[in-house]
Amino acid sequence: MAPANKPSTRRTPQVRLRNYDSDDYCEFELLGTDVSVANALRRIILSHVPTIAIELVEIERNSTVLNDEFIAHRLGLIPIVSTDVGILTSPYEANDDKQCDELEYELNVRCTGDETMDVTSEDLRPHNSWPNALPVGHSQRPQGSAAQGNAADERPIVIVKMRRGQELKLKAMARKGTGKDHAKWSPVATARFQYRPDIQLDQDALSRLSFQEKESFLNSIPRGKMIFRLNPHTSEIEVNDAEAYLFDRQIFERMEEFSLPPDAITIRPLPDYFIFKVEGTGVLPCATIVSMAIDILREKLAVLHTEVQNQENFAPMLSDAAA
Amino acid sequence: MVTTTTAAASSSDAQEPSSETFMLENEDHTLANALRFFLNKNPHVEFCGYSSPHPADDVVNVRIQTTGEISAAEALRQACRSCQEVCAHVNTCFKDAVARKHASMSQ
């Protein structure tokens, strides 16, 4: 960056990882940057990080209770482990040199027993050269792959239930895509960030309330007993977990009801402190999703940068033509 | 959806490089809002704002007016570079934090 344009309020963003015990959930703090950057990151995680999902289904035989479209839709929503997504080509990226990659799956099930039978993601047989691209929780999953969930509590995803004599035979085609096209390609269940609330208590003002009144005051606030705690020894209200506060402002209405002055409790969001919570679907480890999202944002900026440069080079020519 | 960005400088007055409106095709609030923040941080930028003409259109218009020391296009390029720096830094920090976490878990 040109040193002449260094803003005086230069900050260095920081990242603190809070919780990353499983690949399916990640909690981190982003400090020292603007809400617009945090929001760009959130939006990219939701809708620009590519994954694999079934997009085309050819049904050969279907005598189940669900109609063809219903089954096709359910197949589309099955999360497929997408660690290989980086080397795949989506229909939008395909050109003369590169063809769009299609991952083929087959399903051929017939119920012969008297018991109701579950057709699950386990019955999807991959027919392609992408051994990692299996439904999440599939028993064939190669060891050490992306989804390191506990196999014991992971059960295959039910597609349809069958009774004796019913049959389902189909071919499914999966492709690389992004959540912008359809939510089935979103790599996460949720990705959200929140401000960190800064809660200041004025004990003098709060001491107008008796212990019992404080107790009922806290009970009247949504999540009051999570945000605050009542110290039994000093009988003072203390902040227990500031982040439990959801910026719902109910607390201020209750303060009025308890005839507390408005500055007895002041809450303000810290301006550059964001808490991110990313819940993955198992298709990619959450750390990979976040890293990919940042790289996608960088790529967008790089493309824009070159594009502006190109435009500038062409601009004199355009004005010459106009003259 | 097309994955590439195309920026078309459609300045109303070609003689005035210090104030221009850039049409960012195939982009939305994700990029435009972040860019606006970095542009407004630039002391040479007098005004910067963006709008999306219609939610169904895949385009945002970014208006930049500078004090004259630099052109609007230069301001936009600087904002791109600043934001890229932030992204690179955040990504390094994040990857370090994950690596440290993995190291502490394997101990």
Side-chain angles (χ1 to χ4, degrees):
Chain A
M1 196 187 146
N5 297 309
K6 254 183 200 171
S8 53
T9 53
R10 200 176 168 94
R11 297 174 290 185
T12 312
Q14 287 175 49
V15 178
R16 288 185 204 146
L17 198 63
R18 262 198 192 172
N19 178 353
Y20 191 56
D21 297 330
S22 108
D23 276 338
D24 290 343
Y25 183 70
C26 174
E27 210 174 299
F28 63 96
E29 295 168 358
L30 182 64
L31 290 84
T33 188
D34 189 63
V35 62
S36 61
V37 178
N39 196 39
L41 183 58
R42 181 191 65 88
R43 287 175 63 113
I44 290 175
I45 290 171
L46 284 172
S47 61
H48 290 272
V49 174
T51 63
I52 301 165
I54 289 172
E55 206 201 8
L56 199 80
V57 181
E58 281 172 30
I59 296 190
E60 208 169 298
R61 270 196 295 280
N62 174 18
S63 56
T64 65
V65 287
L66 298 186
N67 59 46
D68 296 2
E69 292 86 344
F70 205 135
I71 288 173
H73 178 244
R74 288 183 70 76
L75 286 167
L77 296 176
I78 292 173
I80 294 174
V81 174
S82 305
T83 36
D84 290 335
V85 78
I87 43 173
L88 287 172
T89 311
S90 80
Y92 298 110
E93 296 162 338
N95 50 38
D96 295 339
D97 308 323
K98 271 201 285 185
Q99 269 216 308
C100 161
D101 288 305
E102 286 188 327
L103 290 75
E104 223 179 288
Y105 298 86
E106 241 183 34
L107 190 141
N108 189 1
V109 193
R110 192 186 167 85
C111 180
T112 47
D114 281 328
E115 299 270 302
T116 307
M117 189 180 132
D118 288 352
V119 182
T120 65
S121 55
E122 198 77 5
D123 296 308
L124 274 176
R125 282 204 314 275
H127 241 248
N128 52 54
S129 49
W130 305 95
N132 290 329
L134 289 165
V136 168
H138 199 281
S139 54
Q140 267 182 43
R141 181 184 56 202
Q143 284 304 306
S145 69
Q148 289 172 344
N150 187 358
D153 58 52
E154 243 177 47
R155 288 172 47 211
I157 300 149
V158 178
I159 299 163
V160 64
K161 293 187 178 192
M162 280 180 175
R163 59 177 296 178
R164 192 187 184 98
Q166 291 182 339
E167 193 183 5
L168 182 63
K169 187 175 182 197
L170 57 85
K171 221 163 76 177
M173 235 55 115
R175 283 182 189 149
K176 175 186 177 182
T178 60
K180 207 182 173 191
D181 262 5
H182 191 291
K184 67 184 174 187
W185 276 297
S186 186
V188 291
T190 58
R192 61 190 197 274
F193 72 82
Q194 65 174 88
Y195 285 101
R196 188 178 159 78
D198 176 40
I199 303 180
Q200 298 294 335
L201 303 172
D202 182 352
Q203 293 298 352
D204 281 347
L206 287 169
S207 62
R208 288 184 194 185
L209 301 181
S210 69
F211 190 83
Q212 269 71 35
E213 281 172 324
K214 281 177 182 169
E215 180 99 33
S216 57
F217 171 62
L218 290 190
N219 281 328
S220 70
I221 306 167
R223 295 151 78 92
K225 283 289 181 73
M226 288 162 77
I227 310 168
F228 303 104
R229 67 169 170 258
L230 203 50
N231 192 323
H233 305 296
T234 60
S235 75
E236 280 186 348
I237 293 178
E238 294 169 352
V239 178
N240 180 43
D241 176 15
E243 272 164 47
Y245 178 61
L246 298 174
F247 295 97
D248 49 24
R249 302 200 58 82
Q250 287 252 16
I251 194 166
F252 300 106
E253 286 166 31
R254 293 295 104 76
M255 273 162 63
E256 242 170 75
E257 279 172 32
F258 282 80
S259 51
L260 284 166
D263 56 350
I265 299 175
T266 40
I267 306 180
R268 64 181 185 101
L270 290 173
D272 57 355
Y273 197 126
F274 309 104
I275 300 145
F276 270 80
K277 288 170 184 170
V278 180
E279 287 174 36
T281 55
V283 297
L284 288 167
C286 279
T288 314
I289 296 171
V290 176
S291 269
M292 277 169 90
I294 300 169
D295 282 335
I296 290 165
L297 180 56
R298 253 175 93 188
E299 178 65 26
K300 276 177 180 292
L301 291 157
V303 171
L304 179 61
H305 189 273
T306 17
E307 196 67 33
V308 174
Q309 209 130 30
N310 292 344
Q311 290 281 343
E312 265 196 316
N313 295 341
F314 278 117
M317 289 207 274
L318 285 172
S319 55
D320 284 350
Chain B
M1 186 210 70
V2 185
T3 42
T4 53
T5 320
T6 36
S10 63
S11 156
S12 51
D13 183 3
Q15 304 302 310
E16 195 59 74
S18 67
S19 50
E20 273 190 89
T21 303
F22 297 90
M23 272 174 72
L24 311 192
E25 285 170 15
N26 305 310
E27 289 302 342
D28 54 13
H29 299 277
T30 306
L31 192 70
N33 197 17
L35 277 176
R36 187 192 56 174
F37 166 71
F38 284 99
L39 280 157
N40 279 325
K41 279 259 159 195
N42 191 330
H44 296 307
V45 172
E46 205 169 50
F47 171 80
C48 170
Y50 80 93
S51 72
S52 161
H54 191 277
D57 291 345
D58 217 3
V59 68
V60 282
N61 295 330
V62 181
R63 176 73 181 170
I64 304 169
Q65 286 167 221
T66 66
T67 50
E69 275 99 339
I70 55 169
S71 70
E74 174 59 24
L76 183 56
R77 282 207 309 272
Q78 285 177 7
C80 282
R81 282 201 295 272
S82 307
C83 193
Q84 271 176 285
E85 273 179 37
V86 168
C87 288
H89 176 75
V90 170
N91 209 357
T92 322
C93 290
F94 183 77
K95 281 179 174 163
D96 282 354
V98 172
R100 274 201 304 275
K101 178 82 184 171
H102 279 314
S104 71
M105 269 162 70
S106 59
Q107 269 171 13

